[in-house]
Amino acid sequence: MDFSSTEKDELFEELVETIHSNYPGFDKNEALNVLNERESKMTTGIMHSVGIPHALIPSIKDSIGAIGISHDGIDYDSLDKAPVHVVFMIIGPDNDPNHHIQILKQLASVLQIPDFVKNLLSLKSTSEIYNFICTSEESLIE
């Protein structure tokens, strides 16, 4: 839940390491390079204290990701210049960009739910976060 990083570069390394510890079959350095290259073109710190770093790489078969939360916030060079408190990192296979776009669209829809980020930040466990996100996604379908 809480990441220890205080800078964006450290955050990327921490989240990639978290993903790799659960899904070791991809190249961490490749992922970091592509994430940083994407970030150098335009910040993924989008709005409402949220960052969505994402990358497509060949060494992965399925989309994977991690969520990081910082109650203190980090300087992310966001579009709104506000600190980032919630980070959704998504890494997908480079042979399926349409699926990656669909994931980003779904995430953007969830982020539009009133008080989504505020409510997410109030949760105390990974299971609460998971259930909250699932419930939020389901509410969009109804």
Side-chain angles (χ1 to χ4, degrees):
M1 273 182 51
D2 283 321
F3 50 82
S4 60
S5 305
T6 58
E7 297 178 11
K8 184 169 37 173
D9 292 344
E10 292 173 350
L11 167 67
F12 284 12
E13 290 176 18
E14 185 175 350
L15 289 177
V16 166
E17 186 60 44
T18 298
I19 295 168
H20 192 263
S21 68
N22 291 294
Y23 302 96
F26 73 97
D27 183 333
K28 292 188 295 186
N29 291 327
E30 175 186 48
L32 280 171
N33 288 338
V34 175
L35 285 162
N36 286 317
E37 180 182 323
R38 162 64 184 87
E39 196 69 22
S40 71
K41 294 177 184 173
M42 183 178 177
T43 184
T44 56
I46 54 164
M47 62 177 190
H48 310 302
S49 305
V50 174
I52 308 177
H54 56 280
L56 296 172
I57 60 174
S59 66
I60 200 166
K61 302 285 186 242
D62 295 304
S63 295
I64 55 178
I67 300 170
I69 294 177
S70 169
H71 292 284
D72 295 332
I74 64 165
D75 182 10
Y76 198 94
D77 191 30
S78 300
L79 292 174
D80 62 3
K81 304 298 182 204
V84 163
H85 294 273
V86 180
V87 177
F88 297 90
M89 180 176 278
I90 303 164
I91 303 172
D94 68 347
N95 65 351
D96 196 1
N98 289 332
H99 184 251
H100 191 72
I101 291 168
Q102 288 305 113
I103 292 170
L104 293 171
K105 281 183 176 179
Q106 183 70 15
L107 181 54
S109 295
V110 170
L111 289 169
Q112 295 301 316
I113 296 172
D115 295 324
F116 176 82
V117 173
K118 177 183 169 189
N119 292 330
L120 186 66
L121 288 169
S122 72
L123 302 174
K124 304 292 183 213
S125 71
T126 55
S127 62
E128 285 180 332
I129 291 170
Y130 176 80
N131 291 331
F132 175 70
I133 292 172
C134 289
T135 302
S136 298
E137 282 184 312
E138 289 169 6
S139 75
L140 295 173
I141 297 170
E142 297 173 354

